[in-house]
Amino acid sequence: LERLVPLCQDNENFEIVDVIRAAMVPILKVRFQQTLDVDISFKNSAPFANTQLLRAYSELHTHVRDLVVLVKLWAKAVGVCGAANGHLSAYSLTLMAIYFLQVDTNTRMPCLPTSLFTGEGQVPKEAKIPWECSACTSELLYRFFCFFASEFRWGSEVVSIRCGTRRNATDSFFEELKGKHEDRIHIEDPFLLGRNLHCVLRVE
């Protein structure tokens, strides 16, 4: 990463947006020709399975992708997104949107087994299952906010798309989850089961 930074600085096509050295995996954020934002990391294949899993959910219905985009846009607009700033990451917000669609009584989106996803190739055919969602995107966004504002059990419930049902952090399902006794939101990484994505939150 340190060798790449000066190379980008010397290339007029690239603008360095940020260098996140303190992350679990250091990331160089660059902008190519003022239009395309790119995150660069090295020797890190873990995100491949995550990307494959999220793609599978987005292919279930266009509303999945649309809701995720709207939640991210809202978080960015109000300044509550970005692990570097002590807020939840865009990845965490994506998991929250998917979890809501899984547990909402009106949507009940299927829970895709994480064991299907290795990060190699396309989305597995076993993950391409039928699911219909009659609600419009604006209604889903409204219900998303209502769920996390008044129904979600902050400090005890775990956002877990691996589970896909509402369970508390004390459940044996989350035996490996770190920080589960802290009084804050719990978001489980679907592949690194000990990783609680609330770890980036700044204490105020």
Side-chain angles (χ1 to χ4, degrees):
L1 192 65
E2 299 304 328
R3 296 173 61 185
L4 183 61
V5 170
L7 295 177
C8 290
Q9 290 173 330
D10 294 339
N11 191 316
E12 61 181 14
N13 289 313
F14 290 94
E15 172 193 350
I16 295 181
V17 178
D18 198 3
V19 182
I20 307 176
R21 295 180 174 87
M24 186 172 68
V25 176
I27 296 174
L28 173 63
K29 302 176 79 69
V30 299
R31 183 168 293 125
F32 178 68
Q33 294 184 343
Q34 298 296 316
T35 56
L36 180 64
D37 288 338
V38 181
D39 291 355
I40 303 174
S41 64
F42 294 92
K43 296 181 180 180
N44 179 30
S45 59
F48 296 163
N50 275 315
T51 300
Q52 193 180 46
L53 174 65
L54 299 183
R55 182 183 298 121
Y57 275 113
S58 70
E59 290 181 359
L60 290 180
H61 200 288
T62 56
H63 283 355
V64 179
R65 177 183 55 82
D66 293 344
L67 179 62
V68 168
V69 169
L70 287 174
V71 170
K72 288 181 179 179
L73 288 174
W74 164 79
K76 185 176 181 179
V78 299
V80 294
C81 180
N85 298 318
H87 303 300
L88 292 175
S89 66
Y91 176 52
S92 295
L93 294 170
T94 299
L95 297 182
M96 290 172 67
I98 293 174
Y99 177 72
F100 157 72
L101 291 172
Q102 289 175 328
V103 302
D104 180 68
T105 55
N106 294 313
T107 53
R108 294 296 187 192
M109 185 170 69
C111 179
L112 303 177
T114 55
S115 59
L116 294 176
F117 303 94
T118 62
E120 299 179 1
Q122 301 300 313
V123 172
K125 62 180 181 180
E126 296 87 351
K128 297 182 179 182
I129 56 181
W131 174 65
E132 294 297 328
C133 180
S134 59
C136 63
T137 309
S138 58
E139 180 184 350
L140 291 176
L141 182 64
Y142 170 76
R143 296 212 310 254
F144 169 87
F145 287 126
C146 288
F147 173 73
F148 281 103
S150 59
E151 298 179 38
F152 184 76
R153 300 184 296 271
W154 291 79
S156 59
E157 186 173 348
V158 180
V159 172
S160 172
I161 69 171
R162 177 178 67 101
C163 173
T165 58
R166 302 186 66 181
R167 299 192 191 189
N168 286 339
T170 53
D171 193 295
S172 59
F173 196 81
F174 305 114
E175 184 177 1
E176 300 179 43
L177 188 64
K178 296 179 180 178
K180 58 186 176 183
H181 299 299
E182 297 180 21
D183 189 20
R184 53 174 58 190
I185 189 171
H186 302 297
I187 305 175
E188 178 199 53
D189 186 300
F191 293 97
L192 303 175
L193 305 187
R195 187 181 180 210
N196 196 328
L197 297 175
H198 75 200
C199 63
V200 301
L201 293 176
R202 180 175 58 239
V203 178
E204 296 184 348

